[in-house]
Amino acid sequence: MKLSNFWSEAELLQGVRENNEHAIKTIYKLHFPMVEKFIRQNGGMLQDAKDVFQDGFLVLFRNVKNTDFNLDCKIKTYIYSVCRRIWLTELKRKKKAPVSVKEPDEFVNIDESDIEEYNEHEKNLLHLSQCLVLLGEPCSSLLSNFYLNNLSMQEIAKKMGYTNADNAKTQKYKCLLRLKKIFFEKVVLKKEILNNGLN
Amino acid sequence: MDLIRFTELSEKYFNNSLNENERLELFSAINADTELKLQFEENVQLFNDLQLLKAENNAKQWLAEAENEKSNFKINYLNLRTRIIHYVAVAAVSFFAVVGTLYYSGWFSYKKNLQTYTQLANNITMLTNNQKSLWDALFSFNKSEYSYIAGTGFAIAPDGYIITSYHIVKDFDSIFVVNCQDSLIRYHADIVFNNLSLDVAILKISDSAFSDFGKIPYKLSDQNIELGENVYTLGYSKKDVVFGEGSVSSFTGYNEDSSTIQVSIPSNPGNSGGPLLNSKGEIIGMLCAKNNKIEGATFAIKSELLINLVDSLNSKLDSEQIILSKYNSLSNFDKPNQIKKIKSLIFKVEAY
């Protein structure tokens, strides 16, 4: 496969902002080796590197979609710095932080709050996908196909045996109402649990 | 408005595809009911989260795919910047290869050394121009412009053949040979032969006043030249004839040119075409040039090449062959007497 070329950092960022497959793959190919090196030098395995890189990339991914966000260093440095922060936090959590951290590359300081915000956000999306499963059939398939898998209503109607697309559409909105109910209920529930736990 | 319709409108709002009527319908409903407004905000958030979930799922999938493609990556993927760097590197390597080759093969030193090689014609152009400007200042109506060049030449055959350097005569059409040793003689001459690569021209006096030189007392030597041999020359580096002497310092000339030898005679413009004689009075060469950078390095064409030239010219000429002198009648004389005998056969060559 021939990969399209991104000629500048700005174009690469724009590609990420627009969910461009090639841009995302390019970033992985350009910058994963550096993260892998850091993780391996500091007590991690290849799989850890992949997980951390995915998280680090998603932080960037979410941030570039935010119009307020300004990247004031290279993409490489940013991803490396985020991944570094995530891995150091992980090491601390496992209580086996190395005495000295080997730094194969330059990095900028990343706020803990950025990572926490990201974790919150990830939890939220995890919750959403769990809710989608909890809905049960046919709502789960219907909504997943439409919202996640990019199928058109006609295709869905055909695939799931609805007489026409309008029927499927009415069904979709019914399912959405149910999804909304359990999604926001659970969030409220979780927050209450969390608050109770803290108290 | 039922909730299904409300959800549909919310989605259209989120996708920015509401038309004007639907917009009115939606916002009048929201503004009328605060509970509905809360529902609307939740709807928008849900759609937003669904969109994000899709984007992130895709991104994760692509990252995983990229991992699998990575092995092919290094072969397939070079972005433009990397390519430019490669091309620049290739260009730089080629450039240095070419320049380096030229440098080591002596191309540049050849170009540079060319400037140190000077032909010994007495170029009077500048002098003439200076005089002309004076002249013009005095007589501004006189616009005629000419310059001339002068060198030396010597007789090789009794019937008026004179050999000289081609660079003296090549740019001019009027050639005179001048000698004022016994009495002033000044003859017009024509070029009968020239060889640019050896820088040799053979002139023939074409003047009705000229009869013949008489016997030529010297001969063009066909003997081997000895290193360190004493040699001398006579030349017209000024109006009167000038003697110069030295010795053979090298068998080869400029840049190891084997057609010339190097002699340690101080030479000046005007010496070009002068004969190079050894102590026996044989002509072993003809001065042609000098090296500006080396003191006393004057170059002379070997006499055997001059003999070959005359032979090849004779093979082309039907009548009036050039008969070179075969005997040297000077070997028993000392240098001042040799000069006395030959000075009337050595000419100043003027070209206009």
Side-chain angles (χ1 to χ4, degrees), chain A residues 141-163:
Chain A
S141 297
L142 184 67
L143 294 182
S144 299
N145 278 336
F146 185 78
Y147 287 106
L148 305 184
N149 300 343
N150 246 355
L151 295 182
S152 73
M153 282 322 286
Q154 276 82 1
E155 285 169 316
I156 291 170
K158 207 170 160 189
K159 196 175 171 184
M160 302 186 65
Y162 292 100
T163 47

Side-chain angles (χ1 to χ4, degrees), chain A residues 37-182:
Chain A
K37 188 176 177 191
F38 172 77
I39 304 275
R40 280 184 187 276
Q41 281 186 358
N42 291 287
M45 309 292 286
L46 179 62
Q47 193 52 48
D48 298 317
K50 285 180 183 172
D51 293 344
V52 169
F53 185 86
Q54 179 177 299
D55 287 346
F57 175 76
L58 289 175
V59 171
L60 174 77
F61 185 69
R62 196 166 55 87
N63 276 337
V64 291
K65 288 175 187 298
N66 187 348
T67 44
D68 298 337
F69 178 72
N70 253 334
L71 191 62
D72 49 9
C73 60
K74 282 184 170 178
I75 295 175
K76 176 182 170 170
T77 313
Y78 186 78
I79 289 184
Y80 175 75
S81 309
V82 172
C83 290
R84 176 183 175 275
R85 171 55 46 213
I86 292 172
W87 183 243
L88 291 185
T89 313
E90 177 72 12
L91 285 180
K92 205 187 285 175
R93 197 177 60 78
K94 287 183 183 167
K95 296 201 192 331
K96 53 173 198 180
V99 183
S100 67
V101 179
K102 286 183 183 131
E103 306 282 1
D105 224 304
E106 58 172 323
F107 60 92
V108 293
N109 275 326
I110 300 292
D111 271 353
E112 287 276 358
S113 63
D114 270 14
I115 309 291
E116 275 164 25
E117 202 181 316
Y118 162 75
N119 285 338
E120 273 306 304
H121 166 82
E122 275 298 281
K123 259 182 225 162
N124 188 33
L125 288 190
L126 187 67
H127 172 53
L128 177 60
S129 52
Q130 281 168 349
C131 287
L132 273 172
V133 175
L134 277 176
L135 275 178
E137 296 301 337
C139 281
S140 180
S141 297
L142 184 67
L143 294 182
S144 299
N145 278 336
F146 185 78
Y147 287 106
L148 305 184
N149 300 343
N150 246 355
L151 295 182
S152 73
M153 282 322 286
Q154 276 82 1
E155 285 169 316
I156 291 170
K158 207 170 160 189
K159 196 175 171 184
M160 302 186 65
Y162 292 100
T163 47
N164 58 45
D166 274 347
N167 274 354
K169 202 165 145 190
T170 315
Q171 186 59 41
K172 185 191 81 178
Y173 287 118
K174 280 182 184 164
C175 290
L176 260 184
L177 285 173
R178 280 187 54 205
L179 173 66
K180 195 174 91 178
K181 202 173 169 197
I182 62 168

Side-chain angles (χ1 to χ4, degrees), chain A residues 1-9 19-22 24-30 32-33 36 46 50 53-54 57-58 61-62 65 118 121-122 124-126 128-129 132 143 146-150 169-170 172-174 176-177 179-180 183-184, chain B residues 2-12 15 36 38-74 76-83:
Chain A
M1 188 190 78
K2 170 133 177 33
L3 286 163
S4 65
N5 297 318
F6 291 93
W7 294 346
S8 67
E9 295 261 300
N19 301 328
N20 183 304
E21 180 182 345
H22 291 160
I24 290 168
K25 287 185 174 176
T26 302
I27 287 193
Y28 179 88
K29 289 166 182 181
L30 288 177
F32 177 71
E36 185 186 357
L46 179 62
K50 285 180 183 172
F53 185 86
Q54 179 177 299
F57 175 76
L58 289 175
F61 185 69
R62 196 166 55 87
K65 288 175 187 298
Y118 162 75
H121 166 82
E122 275 298 281
N124 188 33
L125 288 190
L126 187 67
L128 177 60
S129 52
L132 273 172
L143 294 182
F146 185 78
Y147 287 106
L148 305 184
N149 300 343
N150 246 355
K169 202 165 145 190
T170 315
K172 185 191 81 178
Y173 287 118
K174 280 182 184 164
L176 260 184
L177 285 173
L179 173 66
K180 195 174 91 178
F183 180 62
F184 287 105
Chain B
D2 69 11
L3 278 176
I4 289 181
R5 174 72 176 156
F6 177 70
T7 313
E8 188 184 350
L9 289 183
S10 307
E11 185 170 30
K12 280 189 171 179
N15 291 335
L36 215 53
L38 200 68
Q39 291 281 323
F40 174 70
E41 280 162 5
E42 281 186 359
N43 280 349
V44 171
Q45 198 195 331
L46 182 63
F47 290 128
N48 195 27
D49 282 350
L50 279 169
Q51 197 185 48
L52 268 174
L53 184 62
K54 176 183 161 188
E56 289 204 354
N57 281 350
N58 282 340
K60 284 175 189 171
Q61 194 195 334
W62 289 329
L63 291 180
E65 282 176 25
E67 167 66 27
N68 293 332
E69 290 167 12
K70 204 171 68 175
S71 48
N72 301 326
F73 167 64
K74 282 189 178 124
N76 286 339
Y77 184 80
L78 279 175
N79 70 19
L80 185 68
R81 194 172 299 171
T82 325
R83 262 187 240 162

Side-chain angles (χ1 to χ4, degrees), chain B residues 12-298:
Chain B
K12 280 189 171 179
Y13 169 83
F14 181 75
N15 291 335
N16 250 335
S17 58
L18 278 178
N19 66 30
E20 206 45 46
N21 288 339
E22 288 167 336
R23 180 179 293 275
L24 274 176
E25 189 186 343
L26 178 64
F27 281 98
S28 57
I30 290 171
N31 292 335
D33 190 340
T34 46
E35 175 58 25
L36 215 53
K37 187 168 186 178
L38 200 68
Q39 291 281 323
F40 174 70
E41 280 162 5
E42 281 186 359
N43 280 349
V44 171
Q45 198 195 331
L46 182 63
F47 290 128
N48 195 27
D49 282 350
L50 279 169
Q51 197 185 48
L52 268 174
L53 184 62
K54 176 183 161 188
E56 289 204 354
N57 281 350
N58 282 340
K60 284 175 189 171
Q61 194 195 334
W62 289 329
L63 291 180
E65 282 176 25
E67 167 66 27
N68 293 332
E69 290 167 12
K70 204 171 68 175
S71 48
N72 301 326
F73 167 64
K74 282 189 178 124
I75 305 156
N76 286 339
Y77 184 80
L78 279 175
N79 70 19
L80 185 68
R81 194 172 299 171
T82 325
R83 262 187 240 162
I84 288 173
I85 291 170
H86 282 204
Y87 291 154
V88 166
V90 168
V93 167
S94 328
F95 177 77
F96 284 115
V98 169
V99 170
T101 309
L102 288 177
Y103 180 78
Y104 282 111
S105 66
W107 174 258
F108 292 117
S109 58
Y110 170 70
K111 289 290 233 189
K112 199 173 76 188
N113 286 352
L114 219 51
Q115 296 167 354
T116 70
Y117 185 81
T118 309
Q119 293 172 323
L120 291 171
N122 200 353
N123 193 338
I124 321 277
T125 312
M126 209 202 295
L127 195 64
T128 315
N129 285 346
N130 288 345
Q131 285 180 338
K132 194 173 112 357
S133 58
L134 276 176
W135 192 261
D136 281 352
L138 290 170
F139 308 103
S140 55
F141 54 87
N142 188 350
K143 295 288 180 201
S144 76
E145 178 178 357
Y146 65 88
S147 61
Y148 81 104
I149 190 166
T152 309
F154 56 95
I156 51 169
D159 40 356
Y161 288 102
I162 290 169
I163 197 163
T164 186
S165 283
Y166 180 51
H167 68 259
I168 299 170
V169 295
K170 71 173 172 186
D171 291 329
F172 301 93
D173 49 7
S174 244
I175 298 147
F176 292 90
V177 291
V178 183
N179 189 304
C180 54
Q181 294 310 311
D182 302 330
S183 57
L184 175 69
I185 52 171
R186 182 182 166 93
Y187 295 132
H188 185 262
D190 291 329
I191 303 173
V192 293
F193 175 79
N194 67 61
N195 184 315
L196 183 62
S197 61
L198 284 178
D199 192 20
V200 172
I202 295 176
L203 312 176
K204 187 174 193 301
I205 294 173
S206 59
D207 203 303
S208 53
F210 171 76
S211 56
D212 103 10
F213 290 135
K215 187 171 179 293
I216 307 286
Y218 47 76
K219 73 164 198 170
L220 290 174
S221 163
D222 50 4
Q223 304 294 309
N224 283 339
I225 295 160
E226 301 294 337
L227 204 60
E229 203 175 348
N230 283 329
V231 289
Y232 68 94
T233 186
L234 291 170
Y236 287 89
S237 53
K238 58 179 195 176
K239 240 179 179 172
D240 204 0
V241 73
V242 176
F243 170 84
E245 73 174 334
S247 44
V248 176
S249 45
S250 171
F251 287 130
T252 56
Y254 187 74
N255 272 359
E256 284 69 48
D257 175 8
S258 64
S259 67
T260 57
I261 56 169
Q262 183 180 325
V263 291
S264 61
I265 295 177
S267 58
N268 293 299
N271 271 115
S272 263
L276 187 67
L277 299 105
N278 63 13
S279 52
K280 289 187 281 184
E282 290 175 341
I283 292 182
I284 61 160
M286 181 181 81
L287 297 190
C288 58
K290 76 167 182 178
N291 188 335
N292 276 352
K293 288 285 163 71
I294 300 174
E295 280 305 317
T298 305

